[in-house]
């Protein structure tokens, strides 16, 4: 069977790996990509999406530039983590050439794609939630047209990776995720799924080592050379951040998780990669020290029904085996297993 996905992303090094997996998976059809500003500017994200599509053979995939800025604050970017162009030392085709596209089309792509595949589209957010929030403002019925929604973001019972309690995607646009969670909080909303939030608590268990990197990218070629340069920069950053010469590959893990959960929901063979727990989630918007923190009401103190699931376990070794096999089956140079 074919799984229809819309991916909202901000490549970004781990986003580039995630898109590589999505296009490599034989049962995934990427029906649209939204370029959301986060790791680098929205325009640069769009250039990177275009370049990745060229290397991945996805030139016909619809993609749009999202909003130029978050909902309620200036855009901040993280070139120290992902490099000035967003892919570290890796280079993509046309990466410095303007897209020529207008800002603000991401919300429309969310709505159009969901309504084109009613009940069959799996939404995946790998960056800030800005453009889904804007889509929900325009079309409050949008959740009813999705088959699932998976979001990489937040730090629940875990230190942040940006401020002490915040994860980058939510830190970049706290109001965005707040509005998405609010859309799933209406009393009487009856959906066959709940949004799955994948926080740092679990995604940081997906640790790319030099040995795994070598297995993934052996053989070279234009795509693998670009990804290798990106990972070199990313590992140098993690080493600078006193985490060792490794890379936390949040987005590829979350993408593989979303794909395999979708396969499971359709009764198809799949690889279990983690489990979620129902919980009520919200985002702190006003705290002087904690703005952007995702708060989980584990004990039900708010008296509100769960509006999401939080990923509470991750099987990293199984993920890496699956990820490497999937990517290499599609993109390894001839003569390399």
């Amino acid at each position: 069977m074919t799984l229809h996905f819309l991916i909202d992303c901000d490549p970004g090094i781990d986003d580039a790996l995630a898109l590589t997996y999505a296009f490599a998976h034989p049962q995934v059809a990427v029906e649209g990509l939204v370029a959301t500003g986060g790791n680098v500017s929205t325009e640069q994200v769009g250039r990177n999406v275009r370049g990745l599509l060229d290397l991945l053979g996805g030139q016909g995939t619809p993609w749009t530039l999202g909003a130029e800025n978050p909902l309620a604050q200036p855009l901040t970017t993280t070139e120290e983590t992902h490099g000035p162009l967003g892919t570290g030392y890796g280079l993509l085709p046309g990466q410095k050439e303007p897209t020529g596209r207008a800002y603000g089309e991401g919300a429309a792509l969310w709505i159009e794609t969901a309504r084109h595949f009613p009940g069959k589209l799996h939404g995946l957010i790998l960056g800030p939630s800005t453009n889904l929030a804007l889509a929900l403002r325009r079309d409050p019925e949008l959740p009813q047209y999705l088959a699932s929604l998976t979001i990489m973001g937040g730090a629940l019972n875990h230190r942040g990776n940006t401020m002490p309690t915040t994860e980058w995607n939510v830190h970049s646009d706290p109001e965005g995720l707040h509005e998405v969670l609010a859309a799933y909080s209406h009393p009487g909303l009856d959906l066959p799924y709940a949004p799955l939030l994948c926080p740092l608590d679990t995604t940081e268990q997906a640790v790319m080592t030099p040995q795994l990197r070598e297995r993934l990218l052996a053989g070279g070629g234009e795509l693998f050379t670009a990804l290798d340069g990106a990972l070199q920069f990313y590992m140098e950053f993690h080493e600078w951040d006193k985490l060792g010469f490794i890379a936390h590959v949040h987005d590829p893990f979350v993408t593989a998780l979303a794909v395999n959960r979708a396969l499971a929901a359709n009764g198809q063979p799949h690889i279990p990669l983690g489990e979620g727990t129902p919980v009520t989630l919200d985002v702190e918007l006003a705290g002087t020290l904690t703005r952007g923190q995702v708060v989980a009401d584990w004990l039900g103190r708010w008296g509100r029904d769960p509006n999401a699931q939080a990923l509470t376990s991750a099987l990293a070794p199984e993920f890496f085996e699956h990820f490497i096999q999937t990517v290499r089956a599609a993109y390894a140079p001839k003569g390399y297993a």
Side-chain angles (χ1 to χ4, degrees), residues 25-57:
H25 198 288
Q27 289 175 272
V28 171
V30 180
E31 306 295 353
L33 292 168
V34 177
T36 295
N39 289 322
V40 286
S41 70
T42 303
E43 167 66 18
Q44 188 60 55
V45 168
R47 297 178 191 182
N48 294 349
V49 165
R50 181 184 62 192
L52 285 164
L53 289 175
D54 187 63
L55 294 181
L56 296 171

Side-chain angles (χ1 to χ4, degrees), residues 2-330:
T2 299
L3 301 174
H4 305 282
F5 269 80
L6 184 142
I7 304 177
D8 194 320
C9 55
D10 61 336
I13 293 167
D14 52 338
D15 303 73
L17 293 166
L19 292 180
T20 300
Y21 167 85
F23 278 89
H25 198 288
Q27 289 175 272
V28 171
V30 180
E31 306 295 353
L33 292 168
V34 177
T36 295
N39 289 322
V40 286
S41 70
T42 303
E43 167 66 18
Q44 188 60 55
V45 168
R47 297 178 191 182
N48 294 349
V49 165
R50 181 184 62 192
L52 285 164
L53 289 175
D54 187 63
L55 294 181
L56 296 171
Q59 294 90 339
T61 303
W63 67 273
T64 60
L65 293 184
E68 184 175 9
N69 292 297
L71 298 183
Q73 66 183 33
L75 177 67
T76 57
T77 55
T78 181
E79 285 82 357
E80 69 277 8
T81 307
H82 294 268
L85 298 180
T87 54
Y89 302 125
L91 297 176
L92 303 174
Q95 195 170 17
K96 297 182 180 180
E97 299 172 9
T99 63
R101 299 201 177 193
Y103 293 115
E105 299 299 322
L109 188 63
W110 267 102
I111 295 167
E112 292 165 6
T113 311
R115 288 185 172 268
H116 187 72
F117 297 97
K120 296 182 179 180
L121 185 70
H122 299 276
L124 177 59
I125 299 181
L126 303 176
S129 297
T130 309
N131 291 291
L132 178 55
L134 291 170
L136 289 164
R137 289 181 181 182
R138 292 171 54 176
D139 187 356
E141 296 182 354
L142 182 58
Q144 301 174 39
Y145 287 86
L146 297 177
S148 73
L149 176 62
T150 305
I151 301 170
M152 191 277 129
L156 302 182
N157 301 325
H158 194 75
R159 55 145 180 81
N161 65 357
T162 305
M163 293 291 109
T165 63
T166 61
E167 175 276 331
W168 176 258
N169 288 341
V170 187
H171 174 87
S172 297
D173 192 348
E175 281 78 11
L177 182 59
H178 170 76
E179 291 193 17
V180 170
L181 292 171
Y184 284 88
S185 302
H186 295 303
L189 186 66
D190 184 19
L191 296 173
Y193 71 95
L196 177 69
L197 185 82
C198 303
L200 296 181
D201 313 47
T202 47
T203 65
E204 283 200 351
Q205 296 177 42
V207 177
M208 176 75 77
T209 63
Q211 294 76 19
L212 289 168
R213 170 183 160 190
E214 183 177 1
R215 284 184 56 199
L216 173 67
L217 301 175
E222 189 175 5
L223 171 62
F224 283 3
T225 297
L227 295 178
D228 193 54
L231 279 169
Q232 177 67 25
F233 188 98
Y234 206 36
M235 287 177 156
E236 289 177 6
F237 165 78
H238 283 77
E239 187 173 44
W240 172 86
D241 207 25
K242 300 180 175 60
L243 297 170
F245 193 67
I246 55 94
H248 292 138
V249 288
H250 315 274
D251 295 338
F253 171 75
V254 171
T255 303
L257 177 81
V259 168
N260 280 279
R261 283 172 62 92
L263 289 170
N266 285 278
Q268 299 295 308
H270 64 284
I271 300 173
L273 296 177
E275 295 292 334
T277 300
V279 65
T280 307
L281 299 175
D282 210 334
V283 182
E284 176 58 54
L285 302 180
T288 56
L289 299 178
T290 57
R291 173 171 161 79
Q293 180 179 354
V294 181
V295 181
D297 183 15
W298 297 112
L299 299 179
R301 300 296 196 230
W302 293 333
R304 291 154 47 185
D305 290 335
N307 60 351
Q309 290 191 21
L311 188 70
T312 51
S313 68
L315 299 176
E318 290 83 350
F319 156 68
F320 278 111
E321 290 302 314
H322 170 61
F323 176 72
I324 292 171
Q325 290 177 16
T326 302
V327 169
R328 292 195 64 79

